[in-house]
Amino acid sequence: MRVWKFGDDIDTDAIIPGRFLIIYDPAELATHAFEGTRDDFAREARKGDIIVGGKNFGCGSSREHAPLALKGAGITVVVARSFARIFYRNCINTGVLPVICPNADTIGEGDTVEIFPDEGYLTANGIRHDIEPVPPFMRKIIAAGGLVEYAHIIKELELCTK
Amino acid sequence: MSATISEKIFSARCAQDVRAGDVMMAPVDAAMIHDITGPLAIDKFVEMGGTTVFDPAKVILLFDHQVPADSIPAAKNHVMMRRFADDQGILNYDVHEGVCHQVAVEKGRVLPGDIVVGSDSHTCTYGAVGAFATGIGSTDMGFALRFGALYFRIPESIRADVSGAFAPRVGAKDLVLSIIGDLGADGATYKAVEFTGSAIEGMDIPGRMTCCNMAIEMGGKAGIVPPDATTRAYLAAIGARTTREEDLTPDDDATYAAWKDYDVTDLAPQVAVPHNVDNVVDVTEVAGTPVNQVFIGSCTNGRYEDFVEAAEVLKDGCFSPDIRVIIVPSSRTEYLKTLRAGLLERFVEAGAIVEGPSCGPCMGGAFGLLAPGEVSLSTSNRNFRGRQGSTEAEVYLCSPATAAASAMSGVITDPREVA
């Protein structure tokens, strides 16, 4: 996987500026991903590339357009030291895997990265780094293929079950 | 057992003892959608097999980001949502009523003890009336519309206990900016921020809305003020009734992730400097910075009380002819109050542009965009790079008083220095 490296506090306006929120198609959103912030991304991102950020990745807006734009660009994994709450959840719901890696800062652009979510680690240029496990209830959603698919397999909604 | 406000709300709504860290499928008392994230939420609702929403009376639907429609795609999104409202029997506030967060509160659609979701990150504003309210994405919203429930991880809480009395020209916005500066843009990630203490108790609902609105700028899942006599008086005045009797006062011996004491007595007007919301300094540190545009409005500071503050600074003066001053009331109600008090006339006379209720330039969507190299001073909530137009522009955040003082001089100005 080829790495696109970003810093701390990458906000949702940087991922997809507000003027493009009238678009809902992931592929079309992808043509504007990081527009004005990192213009080579939309041109050169390829399926299977990954994004590596610092702390608080995806802070700001609830716009699901942000993970959709990344998904449209072929990104299915975002690794970061930490994530903003709504973006993290939007990733799970839309089928982009958010990976919390305390050592994300040591991963550089051009590194070769492999992710082993079930085993709880990733490798960057062969060096192993721990990643945080995805919470159990979110695994159920991922296992279903996303929240839309999960909604289809619910037989009866059990309210207030822990 | 001792509990935080969030734990009390979820325990009451789930009829069992619920603690921070628990993950619950919990009912929602209201679900808010607007023109930006609503159409995708409706698509997801349909994809999930939804045919009728869980309860049309509990869905809040309006248009605020691109109003009136500023493009054909925006107009088509509005049509799609109008059709959905008609088909589902949902009251549609349409383009004329104002910004989602202001409208939801002033129409009495969110009440103390409610669990509320909105497909907008600043949904945490509703904590001002004691609701647990949080921003969610469109797929989560599709689920909530379909089932009337959603997964919640009950958050840990941070207690921000605020004492002291504000100096003149210093207020809620300065307080919340200073707290964000202290905690950092991710200081409350996944947590609820409880605003308590004598300075909060003395604050009106508009001020509390300003504080709760910006909880998301610390990463917070919610911002909440315990409902009190001020809350009850506000709800009574707007004709809203809550039937819930639970005591939502947080227990001092509840388990908090952090307890922070603040004293506003010596607090100076605060400014968030580009491009992060937690780059917060005293106004004196950036005084003299030239600005091209001043925006007073948004869900953070577009209320009548904010315009009164700005007008008190303006008095019978003029805005600088070298800059654009854009005034946008956050709702029709706030617009009318401000209009009838003669303040809008005063602003226009002083050189401002007054627009109808909407998000205005805050999101960089409809109007008031910045060119490369330009500087905006704004009472809104985000100064992210590119937020109000060019990525080579700069956005500073401040209070209505600081915005008005700066709009008069054309440079960032300490409102305490305007006699």
Side-chain angles (χ1 to χ4, degrees), chain A residues 24 64 89 150 152 160 162, chain B residues 14 16 25 47 139 151:
Chain A
Y24 298 95
E64 208 161 281
R89 191 153 164 151
Y150 179 78
H152 282 292
C160 293
K162 289 186 192 176
Chain B
C14 288
Q16 60 181 289
M25 183 70 82
E47 280 179 38
T139 301
Y151 271 119

Side-chain angles (χ1 to χ4, degrees), chain B residues 17-56:
Chain B
D17 191 40
V18 173
R19 296 283 130 182
D22 288 345
V23 176
M24 308 287 294
M25 183 70 82
V28 302
D29 298 294
M32 186 281 298
I33 53 175
H34 60 51
D35 52 334
I36 291 291
T37 55
L40 188 57
I42 293 167
D43 279 352
K44 295 298 170 187
F45 164 78
V46 173
E47 280 179 38
M48 289 177 193
T51 51
T52 54
V53 298
F54 72 107
D55 183 348

Side-chain angles (χ1 to χ4, degrees), chain A residues 11 13 22 24 36 55-56 60-62 64 85-86 88-90 93 137 147 150 152 159-162, chain B residues 14 16-17 22-25 36 39 47 66 120 134-135 137-140 151 190 221 382 384 387 391:
Chain A
D11 60 70
D13 283 73
I22 47 176
Y24 298 95
K55 72 171 178 71
N56 202 25
S61 162
S62 67
E64 208 161 281
R85 181 186 61 81
I86 307 176
Y88 183 87
R89 191 153 164 151
N90 284 346
N93 288 345
F137 80 97
L147 191 63
Y150 179 78
H152 282 292
L159 271 182
C160 293
T161 50
K162 289 186 192 176
Chain B
C14 288
Q16 60 181 289
D17 191 40
D22 288 345
V23 176
M24 308 287 294
M25 183 70 82
I36 291 291
E47 280 179 38
Q66 292 162 304
D120 188 287
T134 193
S138 293
T139 301
D140 269 334
Y151 271 119
Y190 274 90
K221 182 169 189 165
R382 289 193 174 132
F384 299 160
R387 177 77 176 173
T391 50

Side-chain angles (χ1 to χ4, degrees), chain B residues 148-163:
Chain B
L150 195 62
Y151 271 119
F152 294 90
R153 181 183 178 282
I154 314 310
E156 289 79 19
S157 295
I158 293 177
R159 184 85 167 255
D161 204 61
V162 190
S163 61

